[in-house]
Amino acid sequence: MLWRVPPETAPTRGPKQRSSVDAVVAAAVRIADADGIAALTMRAVATELGLTPMATYTYVPGKAELIDLMLDAVYRDMPRAELSGMSWRERVATIAAENRELLAGHPWVAYLPTTRPPLGPGLAAKYDHELRAFEGLGLTDVDMDAALTYVLGFVNAVARIAIDTERAAADSALTDRQWWERAAPVLERVFDAERYPLAARVGAAAGGAHDAAYSAHHAYEFGLARVVDGLARLIEKR
């Protein structure tokens, strides 16, 4: 199904279908983007397409298979920059930015397990494109794969914190600044700055710089620079 190759036993005749696998996947992606993966059900997809719930199973066997198809579809459709002519540092920064944009647009992707990804054309295109960031640097094939995993793991971790921060703000109806303003009077009464001097000093500096407890943008920019610096040491050895 990922590669849209019909099974050998597929019937050659039958009633004309009202929808398609691609339409079912697109509807499922819209639901997950809007309301999260928890809102995704075969019934919800059927309602989105104007089908009966049982009719959706004629296109996709179940929710697990549907999620695999969704993930491969967003991988297939994500924009990919032309990496030729860039330095390796620029290439790494570019693939990191592409994945950050993907996760911002499809937050549910950040929470899916990746140890057994859907082996479809979307994943193949994404993987081939991203490996080019490390091509020609003297790395072994295994090191190229590991370097890519390292970069994507960092991007995913920061993206999840950013997503959680946005959800917390939406659920509480409070911005980070408002949340801190509400918590500050209590903290002033119970927090002992002399007992925790580093926490007091550094926390105040970071809070003042970010106007919040955490800045996903700063964490991304700071962390990506450290990731690239770490890779530079490996690459320079080659």
Side-chain angles (χ1 to χ4, degrees):
M1 292 192 70
L2 285 166
W3 294 85
R4 303 300 192 270
V5 176
E8 294 180 0
T9 57
T12 56
R13 290 189 174 184
K16 185 177 180 180
Q17 292 187 310
R18 293 176 53 196
S19 191
S20 67
V21 172
D22 288 339
V24 170
V25 172
V29 170
R30 289 195 297 271
I31 293 168
D33 287 350
D35 302 315
I37 204 74
L40 178 66
T41 64
M42 300 300 278
R43 180 178 292 276
V45 173
T47 300
E48 178 81 7
L49 294 174
L51 302 173
T52 64
M54 289 305 297
T56 58
Y57 290 97
T58 65
Y59 303 100
V60 180
K63 183 175 178 179
E65 292 84 0
L66 177 56
I67 291 174
D68 279 351
L69 290 162
M70 292 164 59
L71 185 58
D72 198 68
V74 298
Y75 283 169
R76 178 198 64 209
D77 295 338
M78 67 185 293
R80 293 188 240 283
E82 176 54 58
L83 300 179
S84 60
M86 295 183 181
S87 70
W88 74 265
R89 288 174 179 266
E90 291 172 325
R91 297 199 301 263
V92 170
T94 297
I95 63 168
E98 289 171 351
N99 279 274
R100 187 186 186 198
E101 183 178 351
L102 170 75
L103 297 175
H106 307 287
W108 50 274
V109 174
Y111 297 88
L112 296 181
T114 57
T115 52
R116 294 184 178 181
L119 303 178
L123 175 67
K126 180 179 186 291
Y127 184 53
D128 189 80
H129 166 72
E130 292 167 353
L131 285 172
R132 297 181 188 279
F134 304 100
E135 189 178 20
L137 301 179
L139 299 177
T140 67
D141 288 349
V142 174
D143 281 348
M144 288 174 64
D145 177 81
L148 177 58
T149 300
Y150 178 47
V151 172
L152 299 188
F154 159 75
V155 175
N156 186 271
V158 175
R160 287 181 63 157
I161 297 175
I163 293 166
D164 291 343
T165 300
E166 291 178 2
R167 287 176 176 172
D171 292 343
S172 66
L174 295 173
T175 65
D176 280 350
R177 184 183 183 89
Q178 291 169 331
W179 182 84
W180 272 107
E181 288 174 348
R182 176 173 292 187
V186 176
L187 191 62
E188 288 176 359
R189 289 201 312 270
V190 299
F191 183 76
D192 186 349
E194 293 184 358
R195 186 175 182 182
Y196 310 107
L198 279 177
R201 191 187 79 223
V202 175
H210 307 318
D211 200 24
Y214 179 85
S215 167
H217 177 73
H218 181 268
Y220 176 81
E221 296 293 336
F222 180 89
L224 182 61
R226 305 292 78 75
V227 167
V228 173
D229 287 345
L231 289 171
R233 295 191 63 183
L234 174 68
I235 291 166
E236 288 162 4
K237 289 181 180 179
R238 301 294 189 272

